[in-house]
Amino acid sequence: KQEVTQIPAALSVPEGENLVLNCSFTDSAIYNLQWFRQDPGKGLTSLLLIQSSQREQTSGRLNASLDKSSGRSTLYIAASQPGDSATYLCAPCRGGNKLVFGAGTILRVKS
Amino acid sequence: DAGVIQSPRHEVTEMGQEVTLRCKPISGHDYLFWYRQTMMRGLELLIYFNNNVPIDDSGMPEDRFSAKMPNASFSTLKIQPSEPRDSAVYFCASSSSGTAYEQYFGPGTRLTVT
């Protein structure tokens, strides 16, 4: 059974800092991995999807890497802004299109 | 595109009543998923469909829960009878084999059973 761990559980940083969110998963036989953002009381917004054959994906200030063999993914946020404050969720996808979610990292960026 | 549409956004009902949640996936997507989110258990997959056919319902908690997808643009999740422990946010998501199965989520339905 896939288990997903996200570290840290919560993070508070001043505006402008670069930061790294970590995700580890126990079953490396994944098809892809998605990173999501969830604002309080809202749905999930897909940030990045990394396919199993890829090592990283970039979108604006976000960069996600994937090391499938070691069961790890990281989300790097450059020059953080208060608008980045949210919960970030990691979800590897195994066969059958099934996502398994971590508990998330709650990020607060202080102005 | 309007994205995934869910209704109602909020539902408050009494224990024992029937509840029906509705979802319209993104046009052209061939996968549809129902998730439940609670503080205690996080996000859990309940059931998913491919081309309107249920593929995996192993996450459905009890026989009180049922889901249907009568056509490519509509799905329902029904709880009958509802119980207070069913209180949660229910999300619908859809994806397409043509876009590497990236899942897009709806805004969710917040269900409160009193």
Side-chain angles (χ1 to χ4, degrees), chain A residues 40-58:
Chain A
K42 304 289 187 182
L44 280 68
T45 300
S46 179
L47 297 173
L48 290 164
L49 178 144
I50 312 176
Q51 298 190 56
S52 61
S53 58
Q54 298 173 321
R55 297 285 290 185
E56 65 179 85
Q57 278 286 343
T58 298

Side-chain angles (χ1 to χ4, degrees), chain B residues 41-62:
Chain B
R41 300 174 67 91
L43 263 163
E44 304 173 284
L45 176 66
L46 300 176
I47 184 172
Y48 79 94
F49 296 82
N50 178 219
N51 291 323
N52 313 337
V53 176
I55 303 299
D56 187 339
D57 65 356
S58 60
M60 297 284 261
E62 299 172 33

Side-chain angles (χ1 to χ4, degrees), chain A residues 2 6 16-17 32 42 56-57 60 70 76 82 92-93 95 99 104 111:
Chain A
Q2 179 77 280
Q6 291 190 243
E17 274 204 8
N32 63 37
K42 304 289 187 182
E56 65 179 85
Q57 278 286 343
S70 68
Y76 176 83
C93 177
L99 294 179
S111 57

Side-chain angles (χ1 to χ4, degrees), chain A residues 17-35:
Chain A
E17 274 204 8
N18 302 324
L19 50 97
V20 175
L21 309 182
N22 297 291
C23 172
S24 62
F25 47 94
T26 54
D27 185 349
S28 62
I30 63 170
Y31 181 78
N32 63 37
L33 184 144
Q34 273 187 264
W35 281 93

Side-chain angles (χ1 to χ4, degrees), chain B residues 37-42:
Chain B
Q37 186 176 37
T38 61
M39 289 293 293
M40 290 295 294
R41 300 174 67 91

